[in-house]
Amino acid sequence: MTAGTLTGGRPATAALGTVADVTAVAYRVPLPRPWGPDVPAHHIVVAEITLEDGRTGTGFTWTPKVGAGAVHALLTQDCREAVTGLPAHPETVWDALWLHLHEAGAGGVTTLAMAAVDTALWDLRARAAGHGLADELGRRRSSVPVYGSGVNLHYSLAELTAQARRWAGRGYPAVKVKVGSDDLARDVERIAAVREVIGPDTKLMIDANQRWDLFRAREALTALAPFGLLWVEEPLPADDLSAHVRLRRDTGVPLAVGENIRTVRGFRDLLTSQACDVLQPNVARVGGITPLRRIAELARTFDVPVYPHLLPDLSGQLACTLPLPTMVEDVEDASFAELGVLHEPFPVVIDGCELRLTGRPGHGLRFATEHLREVAR
């Protein structure tokens, strides 16, 4: 029997070793700038994969509000059972795990749990090769531009303009502001104020977080388009493909979508239907680095850029490997480094308006969980 031949559904050999165990702990991480009255904290589930030879890799997944306990249970039960004994190759494990888990759903807790396994395996693979994650994936650049971002719909106008001044002071080439108020006039007032603060040369994006239907989205974009929008993000329910196609056609405002799409096929459908101008996969929600790479290569064939959603400590490393130009989103005071979740030295640093790699082995995320409250173990 040749190497890689399946016996009872499992590969016979593996150059990287074989998975022996999966453990995980879920933590609650307070936010210094709450994302609203209902989001005072985030949740991080940190996983560790141990190989038969004793080597370990660290993985994680993330959810701002709900599901950490369910993800933890899936990791320590079904995921652990499915991957034990498999060769520690990220793509081999990802495909096998998807076949095992997708009965429980095509996304949500399923792909969130898979992300923790996948990031741990890529950490192992890069460290075994003696270099950083970006070099293991194929580094195309050592730094990427950063844009300022805020979860700020609940901010007063004074708080919002103060945030915009901080962004302008840091020289960010682009900024993003939340919209979707019940009163459109409030959105117009706020975007006008931000544009005045940042000036005409800074790129401006808006994010509606799926708050509009097609009728309201058309009305809102007609009112907001004069402020020179680089894109509108999630103007409509994420799974309403036909409405995105119609909105893009009718308004001409570029659409950025994807943070709540969970499968490669979902991104394929966005691209083939010409429903978007920018893709924004979230590395945790799509199931890890393996599917995000597949999404990026798919997008490349349509000449659509990928701007990874949130999580700059990891997304910044991935951005340095993407085939098309990109930027990294830096939500104010919300990166793992800023939240105190990581030990130094960090795998990436933001210097002015650029994120650059520091060359740490593996993905370089060493979680400082000793001061965090455990949600589930």
Side-chain angles (χ1 to χ4, degrees):
M1 186 174 292
T2 60
T5 301
L6 294 180
T7 305
R10 296 189 183 278
T13 63
L16 278 178
T18 305
V19 176
D21 199 13
V22 178
T23 59
V25 184
Y27 300 94
R28 183 181 186 274
V29 183
L31 291 172
R33 296 181 188 275
W35 285 11
D38 58 337
V39 191
H42 284 181
H43 297 90
I44 300 172
V45 184
V46 179
E48 185 173 83
I49 286 183
T50 303
L51 304 187
E52 287 187 337
D53 62 10
R55 287 178 295 153
T56 61
T58 300
F60 81 95
T61 193
W62 158 92
T63 176
K65 291 177 65 175
V66 299
V71 170
H72 176 269
L74 197 62
L75 269 169
T76 55
Q77 298 173 34
D78 298 271
C79 290
R80 180 176 181 271
E81 175 186 349
V83 305
T84 299
L86 287 177
H89 189 291
E91 294 197 73
T92 300
V93 171
W94 200 94
D95 290 338
L97 193 54
W98 172 256
L99 287 173
H100 184 74
L101 293 181
H102 77 272
E103 178 183 321
V109 296
T110 302
T111 47
L112 287 172
M114 291 178 68
V117 173
D118 190 68
T119 51
L121 290 171
W122 279 108
D123 182 44
L124 266 164
R125 177 167 169 163
R127 286 196 288 116
H131 52 221
L133 176 65
D135 288 306
E136 182 64 24
L137 297 173
R139 177 162 57 94
R140 288 181 165 89
R141 55 192 75 88
S142 295
S143 66
V144 287
V146 173
Y147 69 88
S149 181
V151 184
N152 47 28
L153 189 61
H154 60 297
Y155 284 20
S156 68
L157 184 59
E159 290 171 326
L160 179 64
T161 53
Q163 184 177 59
R165 288 189 187 94
R166 290 192 292 274
W167 290 331
R170 294 168 190 160
Y172 286 139
V175 302
K176 188 171 73 180
V177 179
K178 297 292 183 181
V179 293
S181 302
D182 292 336
D183 181 5
L184 178 56
R186 179 176 183 264
D187 281 341
V188 172
E189 178 187 27
R190 291 161 67 84
I191 298 305
V194 169
R195 173 53 82 191
E196 182 176 357
V197 168
I198 65 175
D201 297 328
T202 300
K203 294 179 174 65
L204 176 60
M205 300 91 90
I206 58 173
D207 183 357
N209 282 120
Q210 308 182 74
R211 289 185 175 89
W212 294 327
D213 54 33
L214 183 57
F215 179 82
R216 288 185 296 160
R218 286 197 190 104
E219 180 187 21
L221 292 183
T222 299
L224 295 169
F227 298 106
L229 304 178
L230 181 64
W231 74 56
V232 56
E233 188 170 322
E234 285 205 311
L236 303 163
D239 60 352
D240 195 342
L241 190 63
S242 65
H244 282 87
V245 173
R246 294 165 64 190
L247 182 66
R248 183 170 182 254
R249 179 195 65 202
D250 294 347
T251 66
V253 176
L255 303 190
V257 295
E259 69 177 83
N260 285 295
I261 303 300
R262 314 295 175 131
T263 67
V264 176
R265 291 184 181 87
F267 285 92
R268 176 204 61 191
D269 293 344
L270 286 168
L271 292 164
T272 56
S273 64
Q274 300 182 37
C276 62
D277 300 273
V278 172
L279 288 184
Q280 298 174 303
N282 180 287
V283 65
R285 290 172 178 167
V286 298
I289 296 163
T290 294
L292 194 143
R293 294 179 75 210
R294 296 172 180 178
I295 291 161
E297 285 303 314
L298 179 63
R300 181 187 196 178
T301 66
F302 287 83
D303 291 322
V304 172
V306 170
Y307 286 61
H309 176 255
L310 293 180
L311 306 173
D313 311 274
L314 180 61
S315 292
Q317 298 180 64
L318 302 180
C320 289
T321 73
L322 295 176
L324 299 179
T326 186
M327 289 191 292
V328 172
E329 178 178 18
D330 183 28
V331 175
E332 192 172 35
D333 295 331
S335 71
F336 287 170
E338 290 171 317
L339 291 173
V341 173
L342 299 179
H343 287 297
E344 296 189 63
F346 304 135
V348 301
V349 294
I350 295 177
D351 185 10
C353 55
E354 288 279 317
L355 178 146
R356 58 180 175 82
L357 304 175
T358 63
R360 301 299 301 164
H363 57 48
L365 300 173
R366 297 188 307 121
F367 288 93
T369 55
E370 56 270 22
H371 304 301
L372 300 177
R373 180 170 66 83
E374 293 181 9
V375 176
R377 176 183 283 274

